Short mmCIF file of all heavy atoms in Angstrom, two decimals:
data_model
loop_
_atom_site.label_atom_id
_atom_site.label_comp_id
_atom_site.label_asym_id
_atom_site.label_seq_id
_atom_site.Cartn_x
_atom_site.Cartn_y
_atom_site.Cartn_z
N ILE L 168 -0.80 -62.34 -65.23
CA ILE L 168 -0.40 -62.23 -66.54
C ILE L 168 1.00 -61.76 -66.79
O ILE L 168 1.60 -61.29 -65.76
CB ILE L 168 -1.32 -61.23 -67.40
CG1 ILE L 168 -1.29 -59.72 -66.71
CG2 ILE L 168 -2.66 -61.72 -67.37
CD1 ILE L 168 -2.02 -58.76 -67.47
N SER L 169 1.54 -61.92 -67.85
CA SER L 169 2.89 -61.52 -68.09
C SER L 169 2.95 -60.11 -68.53
O SER L 169 2.35 -59.60 -69.41
CB SER L 169 3.64 -62.36 -69.28
OG SER L 169 4.83 -61.89 -69.54
N ARG L 170 3.70 -59.31 -67.64
CA ARG L 170 3.81 -57.89 -67.88
C ARG L 170 5.37 -57.50 -67.74
O ARG L 170 5.99 -57.93 -66.85
CB ARG L 170 3.08 -56.97 -66.83
CG ARG L 170 1.60 -57.11 -66.89
CD ARG L 170 0.82 -55.98 -66.22
NE ARG L 170 1.23 -56.00 -64.72
CZ ARG L 170 1.07 -55.00 -63.89
NH1 ARG L 170 0.56 -53.81 -64.37
NH2 ARG L 170 1.42 -55.10 -62.70
N THR L 171 5.73 -56.80 -68.64
CA THR L 171 7.13 -56.23 -68.71
C THR L 171 7.29 -55.12 -67.62
O THR L 171 6.34 -54.56 -67.20
CB THR L 171 7.57 -55.80 -70.07
OG1 THR L 171 6.85 -54.60 -70.38
CG2 THR L 171 7.41 -56.78 -71.12
N LYS L 172 8.53 -54.90 -67.27
CA LYS L 172 8.83 -53.83 -66.26
C LYS L 172 8.33 -52.54 -66.88
O LYS L 172 7.68 -51.72 -66.16
CB LYS L 172 10.26 -53.73 -65.95
CG LYS L 172 10.75 -54.96 -65.22
CD LYS L 172 12.26 -54.94 -64.98
CE LYS L 172 12.71 -56.21 -64.25
NZ LYS L 172 14.21 -56.14 -64.18
N PRO L 173 8.56 -52.08 -68.15
CA PRO L 173 8.08 -50.87 -68.74
C PRO L 173 6.60 -50.83 -68.68
O PRO L 173 5.93 -49.75 -68.37
CB PRO L 173 8.55 -50.99 -70.12
CG PRO L 173 9.82 -51.63 -70.15
CD PRO L 173 9.57 -52.79 -69.05
N GLU L 174 5.81 -51.87 -68.93
CA GLU L 174 4.33 -51.98 -68.81
C GLU L 174 3.87 -51.66 -67.38
O GLU L 174 2.95 -50.93 -67.20
CB GLU L 174 3.84 -53.24 -69.31
CG GLU L 174 3.94 -53.43 -70.75
CD GLU L 174 3.54 -54.87 -71.28
OE1 GLU L 174 3.60 -55.77 -70.35
OE2 GLU L 174 3.23 -55.07 -72.43
N ILE L 175 4.58 -52.29 -66.49
CA ILE L 175 4.20 -52.09 -64.99
C ILE L 175 4.46 -50.49 -64.65
O ILE L 175 3.59 -49.78 -64.06
CB ILE L 175 5.09 -52.88 -64.05
CG1 ILE L 175 4.73 -54.40 -64.33
CG2 ILE L 175 4.87 -52.50 -62.58
CD1 ILE L 175 5.61 -55.37 -63.49
N ALA L 176 5.57 -49.90 -65.14
CA ALA L 176 5.88 -48.56 -64.94
C ALA L 176 4.85 -47.65 -65.43
O ALA L 176 4.49 -46.65 -64.85
CB ALA L 176 7.31 -48.22 -65.46
N LEU L 177 4.44 -47.80 -66.67
CA LEU L 177 3.37 -47.00 -67.27
C LEU L 177 2.02 -47.06 -66.59
O LEU L 177 1.43 -46.07 -66.39
CB LEU L 177 3.22 -47.44 -68.80
CG LEU L 177 4.31 -47.11 -69.71
CD1 LEU L 177 4.00 -47.60 -71.18
CD2 LEU L 177 4.55 -45.54 -69.85
N ASP L 178 1.68 -48.29 -66.05
CA ASP L 178 0.43 -48.42 -65.28
C ASP L 178 0.60 -47.46 -63.94
O ASP L 178 -0.38 -46.88 -63.56
CB ASP L 178 0.20 -49.81 -64.90
CG ASP L 178 -0.38 -50.58 -66.13
OD1 ASP L 178 -0.73 -50.03 -67.08
OD2 ASP L 178 -0.34 -51.84 -66.09
N GLU L 179 1.79 -47.48 -63.26
CA GLU L 179 2.04 -46.85 -62.15
C GLU L 179 2.04 -45.27 -62.36
O GLU L 179 1.54 -44.53 -61.65
CB GLU L 179 3.29 -47.30 -61.45
CG GLU L 179 3.29 -48.68 -60.72
CD GLU L 179 2.29 -48.53 -59.55
OE1 GLU L 179 2.77 -48.01 -58.43
OE2 GLU L 179 1.18 -48.86 -59.66
N ILE L 180 2.63 -44.91 -63.57
CA ILE L 180 2.57 -43.44 -63.93
C ILE L 180 1.12 -43.04 -64.02
O ILE L 180 0.75 -41.89 -63.63
CB ILE L 180 3.41 -43.26 -65.22
CG1 ILE L 180 4.96 -43.50 -64.90
CG2 ILE L 180 3.16 -41.90 -65.67
CD1 ILE L 180 5.73 -43.45 -66.21
N ASP L 181 0.37 -43.75 -64.75
CA ASP L 181 -1.05 -43.41 -64.80
C ASP L 181 -1.78 -43.28 -63.39
O ASP L 181 -2.55 -42.37 -63.27
CB ASP L 181 -1.88 -44.46 -65.73
CG ASP L 181 -1.45 -44.47 -67.16
OD1 ASP L 181 -1.01 -43.41 -67.57
OD2 ASP L 181 -1.57 -45.57 -67.76
N ARG L 182 -1.49 -44.20 -62.48
CA ARG L 182 -2.02 -44.07 -61.19
C ARG L 182 -1.55 -42.74 -60.48
O ARG L 182 -2.33 -42.06 -59.82
CB ARG L 182 -1.49 -45.36 -60.27
CG ARG L 182 -2.02 -45.21 -58.87
CD ARG L 182 -1.54 -46.49 -58.19
NE ARG L 182 -0.17 -46.53 -57.92
CZ ARG L 182 0.40 -45.85 -56.91
NH1 ARG L 182 -0.23 -45.09 -56.14
NH2 ARG L 182 1.82 -45.93 -56.74
N LEU L 183 -0.33 -42.35 -60.62
CA LEU L 183 0.16 -41.20 -59.90
C LEU L 183 -0.40 -39.85 -60.68
O LEU L 183 -0.73 -38.93 -59.90
CB LEU L 183 1.66 -41.13 -60.05
CG LEU L 183 2.39 -42.25 -59.21
CD1 LEU L 183 3.85 -42.21 -59.48
CD2 LEU L 183 2.02 -42.15 -57.74
N ILE L 184 -0.56 -40.05 -61.98
CA ILE L 184 -1.23 -38.84 -62.68
C ILE L 184 -2.58 -38.61 -62.16
O ILE L 184 -3.07 -37.47 -61.91
CB ILE L 184 -1.09 -38.96 -64.14
CG1 ILE L 184 0.39 -38.93 -64.65
CG2 ILE L 184 -1.91 -37.95 -64.95
CD1 ILE L 184 0.50 -39.13 -66.13
N ALA L 185 -3.27 -39.74 -62.14
CA ALA L 185 -4.69 -39.68 -61.60
C ALA L 185 -4.76 -39.14 -60.16
O ALA L 185 -5.69 -38.56 -59.73
CB ALA L 185 -5.36 -41.08 -61.67
N ALA L 186 -3.79 -39.37 -59.34
CA ALA L 186 -3.78 -38.95 -58.04
C ALA L 186 -3.31 -37.44 -57.87
O ALA L 186 -3.31 -36.92 -56.72
CB ALA L 186 -2.85 -39.82 -57.04
N GLY L 187 -2.90 -36.84 -58.92
CA GLY L 187 -2.65 -35.45 -59.00
C GLY L 187 -1.21 -35.09 -58.71
O GLY L 187 -0.85 -33.97 -58.32
N VAL L 188 -0.39 -36.09 -58.77
CA VAL L 188 1.13 -35.89 -58.52
C VAL L 188 1.74 -35.06 -59.58
O VAL L 188 1.61 -35.22 -60.77
CB VAL L 188 1.87 -37.23 -58.43
CG1 VAL L 188 3.42 -36.95 -58.21
CG2 VAL L 188 1.35 -38.05 -57.27
N ARG L 189 2.43 -34.06 -59.16
CA ARG L 189 3.07 -33.11 -60.13
C ARG L 189 4.57 -33.34 -60.36
O ARG L 189 5.31 -33.61 -59.41
CB ARG L 189 2.96 -31.63 -59.56
CG ARG L 189 1.54 -31.13 -59.34
CD ARG L 189 1.53 -29.83 -58.52
NE ARG L 189 2.12 -30.11 -57.26
CZ ARG L 189 2.45 -29.13 -56.41
NH1 ARG L 189 2.52 -27.92 -56.69
NH2 ARG L 189 2.78 -29.52 -55.21
N PHE L 190 4.94 -33.44 -61.50
CA PHE L 190 6.32 -33.66 -61.95
C PHE L 190 6.54 -33.12 -63.35
O PHE L 190 5.53 -33.01 -64.12
CB PHE L 190 6.74 -35.01 -61.81
CG PHE L 190 5.88 -36.01 -62.54
CD1 PHE L 190 6.27 -36.45 -63.86
CD2 PHE L 190 4.75 -36.61 -62.04
CE1 PHE L 190 5.48 -37.24 -64.61
CE2 PHE L 190 4.04 -37.54 -62.76
CZ PHE L 190 4.30 -37.82 -64.10
N GLY L 191 7.77 -32.82 -63.71
CA GLY L 191 8.14 -32.35 -64.97
C GLY L 191 8.71 -33.31 -65.96
O GLY L 191 8.21 -33.34 -67.19
N THR L 192 9.61 -34.15 -65.59
CA THR L 192 10.32 -35.02 -66.43
C THR L 192 10.42 -36.47 -65.97
O THR L 192 10.71 -36.61 -64.62
CB THR L 192 11.70 -34.50 -66.69
OG1 THR L 192 11.65 -33.12 -67.23
CG2 THR L 192 12.48 -35.36 -67.77
N VAL L 193 10.28 -37.46 -66.67
CA VAL L 193 10.30 -38.84 -66.32
C VAL L 193 11.74 -39.29 -66.70
O VAL L 193 12.15 -39.09 -67.82
CB VAL L 193 9.34 -39.66 -66.99
CG1 VAL L 193 9.52 -41.17 -66.60
CG2 VAL L 193 7.89 -39.19 -66.55
N LEU L 194 12.38 -39.94 -65.82
CA LEU L 194 13.78 -40.38 -65.99
C LEU L 194 13.75 -41.93 -65.78
O LEU L 194 13.03 -42.51 -65.00
CB LEU L 194 14.76 -39.86 -64.95
CG LEU L 194 14.80 -38.32 -64.92
CD1 LEU L 194 15.77 -37.75 -63.79
CD2 LEU L 194 15.08 -37.58 -66.25
N ALA L 195 14.58 -42.62 -66.58
CA ALA L 195 14.78 -44.07 -66.45
C ALA L 195 16.24 -44.53 -67.14
O ALA L 195 16.74 -43.82 -67.92
CB ALA L 195 13.47 -44.76 -67.27
N ASP L 196 16.62 -45.70 -66.57
CA ASP L 196 17.86 -46.24 -67.17
C ASP L 196 17.56 -46.97 -68.50
O ASP L 196 16.49 -47.03 -68.89
CB ASP L 196 18.61 -46.94 -66.07
CG ASP L 196 17.83 -48.27 -65.69
OD1 ASP L 196 16.90 -48.57 -66.38
OD2 ASP L 196 18.33 -48.92 -64.80
N ALA L 197 18.62 -47.63 -68.98
CA ALA L 197 18.53 -48.29 -70.27
C ALA L 197 17.63 -49.52 -70.26
O ALA L 197 17.08 -49.94 -71.14
CB ALA L 197 19.96 -48.68 -70.76
N GLY L 198 17.42 -50.00 -69.04
CA GLY L 198 16.49 -51.14 -68.87
C GLY L 198 15.12 -50.84 -69.31
O GLY L 198 14.42 -51.75 -69.72
N TYR L 199 14.74 -49.59 -69.17
CA TYR L 199 13.37 -49.09 -69.56
C TYR L 199 13.56 -48.34 -70.97
O TYR L 199 12.72 -48.38 -71.78
CB TYR L 199 12.78 -48.18 -68.62
CG TYR L 199 12.47 -48.99 -67.28
CD1 TYR L 199 13.52 -49.09 -66.30
CD2 TYR L 199 11.29 -49.51 -66.99
CE1 TYR L 199 13.29 -49.94 -65.08
CE2 TYR L 199 10.99 -50.24 -65.76
CZ TYR L 199 12.03 -50.43 -64.83
OH TYR L 199 11.77 -51.10 -63.74
N GLY L 200 14.62 -47.61 -71.06
CA GLY L 200 14.66 -46.67 -72.29
C GLY L 200 14.93 -47.41 -73.55
O GLY L 200 14.60 -46.90 -74.59
#
Side-chain angles (χ1 to χ4, degrees):
I168 56 175
S169 178
R170 291 197 302 164
T171 65
K172 295 175 187 177
E174 288 173 339
I175 295 172
L177 287 174
D178 287 344
E179 283 293 279
I180 289 172
D181 289 338
R182 177 179 68 83
L183 295 175
I184 292 174
V188 175
R189 296 166 296 162
F190 55 90
T192 305
V193 177
L194 307 177
D196 66 10
Y199 296 84

